[in-house]
Amino acid sequence: MGGVGALLRPVAWKLNQRRDISSWLAKWFPKAPAKSVVALKTPIKVELVAGKTYRWCVCGRSKKQPFCDGSHFFQRTGLSPLKFKAQETRTVALCTCKATQKPPYCDGTHRSERVQKTEVGSPL
């Protein structure tokens, strides 16, 4: 028989296995999310349909701006899209600089010197 050491080996192996899994998860779900990047320096006007749910891109990496295409997940940003439901059918300007104080709607922040000096694809 292996004694007490043999009984402890499976427990130690399980602890190491958990550590490997958590380090794998850390790659996909970082504790500190990445910063949003400036997708464009002007808002995009879209017609929202009453009752429809939309997913606004928060990370700035989507190729379907201003909406999410899942890039945040594949680029491991730790960010998630902002889900919102249109209350009425109307045309609105959705932010693409990702610096608005009224997400997902444009509040004119893209006109600021800070945003205008930032390169598209770079964080603020």
Side-chain angles (χ1 to χ4, degrees):
M1 298 224 170
V4 175
L7 293 174
L8 294 178
R9 266 187 236 129
V11 174
W13 180 80
K14 285 182 182 177
L15 290 175
N16 287 338
Q17 186 180 24
R18 283 188 185 158
R19 190 174 313 130
D20 291 342
I21 291 171
S22 65
S23 66
W24 177 83
L25 286 173
K27 287 180 183 176
W28 285 96
F29 303 102
K31 289 181 183 176
K35 289 189 174 188
S36 297
V37 298
V38 175
L40 297 169
K41 295 183 184 182
T42 56
I44 294 178
K45 289 185 180 180
V46 295
E47 182 168 341
L48 301 179
V49 178
K52 185 173 178 183
T53 300
Y54 297 89
R55 294 181 329 134
W56 179 70
C57 172
V58 169
C59 73
R61 292 162 176 85
S62 173
K63 301 296 182 218
K64 295 182 178 182
Q65 288 295 329
F67 301 111
C68 177
D69 67 0
S71 294
H72 65 278
F73 181 77
F74 296 106
Q75 294 184 28
R76 302 177 186 159
T77 64
L79 299 169
S80 297
L82 174 71
K83 250 173 103 170
F84 70 100
K85 192 175 208 175
Q87 300 302 311
E88 59 184 331
T89 299
R90 65 185 178 129
T91 301
V92 297
L94 295 182
C95 176
T96 59
C97 75
K98 311 304 174 187
T100 182
Q101 297 299 306
K102 298 178 181 180
Y105 306 104
C106 174
D107 65 359
T109 304
H110 64 277
R111 294 186 199 109
S112 72
E113 188 176 338
R114 187 179 116 205
V115 173
Q116 291 301 316
K117 284 186 174 183
T118 303
E119 286 187 42
V120 170
S122 298
L124 282 173

